[in-house]
Amino acid sequence: CQIGGNVSTNAGGLRLLRYGSLHGSVLGLEVVLADGTIIDALSSLRKNNTGYDVKHMFIGSEGTLGVVTGVSILAAPKPQSVQVGLFRCSSFENVLKGYMQAKKDLGEILSAVEFFDKQALDVTLRHLAGTRNPFTEDSPFYLLVETSGSC
């Protein structure tokens, strides 16, 4: 995984809920075009009202317009506290309900929500040494909720 590839695909990552997409985090780019021209827009300014903001043309362009070779990015500080909860869900509808409830109740401290099914858990348990099922009963779906903050 390279940051230029992440920018080219506009990869949001696991914590998109908390930190948003890369569009808001990328301050500047260096890009090499197909003809070898280098576009140097590696600004580190958070606000720049001078002319076109060409970086947004390349974020998410999948490399079709040029190859990202440099990135100036705004990194969020590491949270002081992180909590993770894993919940069993009897249906996909309950996964959606759990997600909506987490968004409603946890607000700005919600940093990640992921779901996986029984088959994914079974494959993980079978092929990743040292893992165990955290539950005594199986469910068709599981919901992982992460919160983070200063306390």
Side-chain angles (χ1 to χ4, degrees), residues 3-5 18 24 37 53 60 79 96 101 108-110 119-120 143 146:
I3 189 66
R18 182 162 179 93
T37 303
D53 195 357
L96 295 176
Q101 194 68 45
E108 72 278 353
I109 66 168
L110 182 64
Q119 182 180 6
L143 183 66
E146 178 188 87

Side-chain angles (χ1 to χ4, degrees), residues 6-24:
N6 290 349
V7 169
S8 293
T9 58
N10 195 25
L14 294 175
R15 290 172 184 80
L16 175 83
L17 291 173
R18 182 162 179 93
Y19 300 109
S21 72
L22 277 175
H23 272 282

Side-chain angles (χ1 to χ4, degrees), residues 27 40-41 43-55:
L27 300 174
D40 183 357
S43 172
S44 60
L45 296 174
R46 291 186 79 172
K47 183 176 180 179
N48 185 354
N49 293 335
T50 59
Y52 293 110
D53 195 357
V54 297
K55 72 177 180 270

